[in-house]
Amino acid sequence: MSTQPATSPDGLKAGLKNRHLSMIAIGGVIGAGLFVGSSAGIAKAGPGILVSYALVGLMVVLVMRMLGEMAAADPTSGSFSAYADRALGRWAGFSIGWLYWFFWVVVLAVEATAGAKILEEWWPSVPQWGWALIVMIVLTAANLVSVSSYGEFEFWFAGIKVVAIAAFIVIGGLAVFGLLPGSENEGAGLAHLTDHSGFLPNGPGAILTGVLLVVFSFMGSEIVTLAAGESEDPQRAVSKATNSVIWRIAVFYLGSIFVVVTLLPWDSKSITKNGSYVAALESIGIPHAGQVMNVIVLTAVLSCLNSGLYTASRMAFSLGQRGDAPASFAKTTARGVPQAAILGSVVFGFVAVWFNYQWPDTVFEFLLNSSGAVALFVWLVICFTQLRMRGIILRENPDKLVVRMWGFPYLTWATIGMILFVLVYMLTDETGREQVLLSTGAAALVVVIALVRDKLAGPRPVAAAQASSKESESVAP
């Protein structure tokens, strides 16, 4: 006998199965940036890029542990924005919520365009803008049907990424040690880690440059905590995702990059020309490696687009519930879908896509740079929120503290220091400087709006206050 997903107190339906959440958690750390952007990092830092990935991976593991502590206690669609609202003040929840929403709707335009470029290569009869429109419409429709539709799309998208990376590591790993039959790469073992001017050919400082190049490819790890509120067992899903983040980063990021830098010398021209993964596959003799990677990258792009639309809409929904966005954003359909929040997010996404085609080097570049450092701001807010939320959870619901941040509060403060260091170091890089300054300007503007709004509006309306209170409670069915 079939059963309908339970409806949570906020109107969303628990339509995500455990298998959906598991794959969202695994696939969330594998973005298109890993496939496309890793070659730039290798060119800058050489084999030392492994240290860059390890440092950023450690930072993400610590941030996810903090977020997992709060999300396991109070699974909610607003995640860190709702927790910041409660722990730091309404201005904080408002500011980081809207900044995060802004980040993802800009990502929608980036990913839609990236996917459209690949599809246009395959079917040039349809113009690039046409493909961008098609993928946006299809994934918007999927999100509008039900949360389980989003979950099913993401399950298969993430599944393809996971299988592809796992196959790459196994096949590449065998080739590295000369154990792959028929490989055109004789395999140098670990020699390539040091045989071209050493492990750090461009000096220790290149590790930090590598950090700047790879840090944003980790964005998306936190999506599982937003999705948990619409799952069958939120607390279990969050706990499992948080506990598994270490091996996910170690295997998918460090494992795959390790294969690349041991299969090929770091300064091989094919890495920068064809991309790190394509170059590695071609060195083995995998036929049509470029097209194979295009399929995988397209899958990663569609996965990011799908998750970006889901994430932006749920953040808008949460803001609407708390009275920090139009009230229509907080309404759900009979299927438990926040339709207005989805449409509002996708409309801005469509506008951003149009900007990308009309003014790619001016308006759209401004949007990109003004949202570029938001990921680091989000992680910073999670840290400061967790410092306050630990006490609140212990005081009100100590039995819900099932996931604990290690070494509290010392590791929390250490993580804050790491994030601030990356932000300051970005100021020494021309591209990074522009992102930090414009993103800080955007954040300052939103914070000012939040503070002025609070001062003019006075106490939060009762309905919104009740919604915010609900968001701080578990929404497990």
Side-chain angles (χ1 to χ4, degrees):
M1 184 176 71
S2 64
T3 57
Q4 291 294 320
T7 303
S8 64
D10 57 12
L12 298 173
K13 287 197 174 178
L16 292 176
K17 297 179 169 34
N18 286 330
R19 67 181 177 88
H20 292 152
L21 261 292
S22 296
M23 200 55 77
I24 289 168
I26 295 171
V29 297
I30 309 173
L34 174 62
F35 300 107
V36 178
S38 55
S39 56
I42 293 171
K44 287 285 185 182
I49 194 67
L50 288 168
V51 180
S52 303
Y53 273 105
L55 288 173
V56 178
L58 173 63
M59 190 163 68
V60 172
V61 165
L62 294 173
V63 170
M64 280 298 294
R65 188 73 186 183
M66 288 178 245
L67 184 54
E69 176 179 296
M70 298 182 286
D74 293 321
T76 169
S77 61
S79 188
F80 51 83
S81 173
Y83 310 141
D85 185 299
R86 189 176 182 200
L88 304 178
R90 186 180 181 184
W91 67 271
F94 176 97
S95 302
I96 204 62
W98 276 115
L99 284 170
Y100 193 67
W101 177 88
F102 174 55
F103 172 85
W104 280 110
V105 293
V106 172
V107 166
L108 291 182
V110 174
E111 302 299 340
T113 304
K117 285 180 180 177
I118 295 173
L119 289 166
E120 187 188 28
E121 287 181 14
W122 296 342
W123 294 285
S125 57
V126 178
Q128 192 181 116
W129 66 266
W131 281 120
L133 187 65
I134 289 168
V135 296
M136 288 278 278
I137 289 174
V138 169
L139 293 178
T140 300
N143 275 265
L144 285 171
V145 171
S146 67
V147 69
S148 60
S149 297
Y150 155 72
E152 203 62 36
F153 266 85
E154 193 54 29
F155 177 81
W156 292 105
F157 286 153
I160 292 170
K161 290 190 293 185
V162 169
V163 169
I165 287 283
F168 177 81
I169 292 172
V170 172
I171 294 171
L174 290 172
V176 166
F177 297 101
L179 301 175
L180 184 68
S183 172
E184 295 177 8
N185 188 317
E186 295 180 0
L190 304 181
H192 287 325
L193 291 178
T194 56
D195 63 3
H196 281 242
S197 304
F199 185 72
L200 296 171
N202 296 323
I207 291 174
L208 297 177
T209 304
V211 165
L212 301 188
L213 291 169
V214 306
V215 66
F216 299 108
S217 65
F218 283 83
M219 191 63 172
S221 306
E222 68 290 332
I223 291 174
V224 68
T225 64
L226 279 83
E230 295 177 81
S231 69
E232 297 169 338
D233 188 350
Q235 192 175 76
R236 178 176 175 273
V238 169
S239 300
K240 187 176 178 183
T242 303
N243 291 329
S244 66
V245 71
I246 297 175
W247 73 259
R248 286 186 276 131
I249 288 175
V251 171
F252 297 123
Y253 278 86
L254 290 175
S256 62
I257 297 300
F258 174 81
V259 167
V260 172
V261 296
T262 49
L263 265 179
L264 293 166
W266 70 271
D267 54 358
S268 170
K269 291 181 180 178
S270 61
I271 291 179
T272 50
K273 180 182 177 183
N274 302 323
S276 51
Y277 290 84
V278 172
L281 291 173
E282 286 181 341
S283 77
I284 297 172
I286 301 295
H288 310 295
Q291 287 305 320
V292 170
M293 193 51 60
N294 270 342
V295 172
I296 297 168
V297 170
L298 178 63
T299 303
V301 163
L302 294 177
S303 170
C304 192
L305 188 60
N306 190 40
S307 290
L309 181 53
Y310 171 83
T311 305
S313 65
R314 280 357 181 234
M315 187 56 73
F317 169 79
S318 175
L319 289 164
Q321 274 201 313
R322 287 177 269 144
D324 292 335
S328 60
F329 282 8
K331 294 178 180 177
T332 57
T333 65
R335 296 185 300 275
V337 172
Q339 182 173 290
I342 292 173
L343 293 176
S345 300
V346 82
V347 163
F348 193 95
F350 276 123
V351 171
V353 169
W354 183 69
F355 283 155
N356 194 13
Y357 285 111
Q358 288 294 112
W359 304 289
D361 299 323
T362 52
V363 178
F364 189 69
E365 187 175 347
F366 174 80
L367 290 178
L368 272 181
N369 287 326
S370 57
S371 64
V374 166
L376 291 167
F377 295 164
V378 166
W379 295 344
L380 203 55
V381 167
I382 289 171
C383 294
F384 281 113
T385 301
Q386 191 261 338
L387 286 171
R388 298 288 297 276
M389 279 297 291
R390 168 67 74 90
I392 294 173
I393 296 169
L394 284 174
R395 185 170 64 250
E396 298 180 1
N397 296 294
D399 56 312
K400 291 187 176 182
L401 197 62
V402 293
V403 175
R404 285 177 179 262
M405 173 59 184
W406 311 295
F408 178 84
Y410 307 108
L411 275 182
T412 300
W413 281 110
T415 308
I416 290 171
M418 290 169 67
I419 297 169
L420 288 174
F421 177 81
V422 172
L423 283 167
V424 171
Y425 191 76
M426 284 178 73
L427 294 174
T428 66
D429 176 76
E430 188 175 342
T431 303
R433 186 185 308 116
E434 190 172 7
Q435 288 187 350
V436 169
L437 294 177
L438 286 175
S439 296
T440 301
L445 177 63
V446 176
V447 169
V448 168
I449 291 171
L451 293 173
V452 171
R453 187 172 175 277
D454 281 358
K455 190 171 183 64
L456 295 177
R460 175 178 272 155
V462 175
Q466 289 175 343
S468 179
S469 177
K470 280 183 181 180
E471 282 220 326
S472 69
E473 300 170 2
S474 173
V475 294

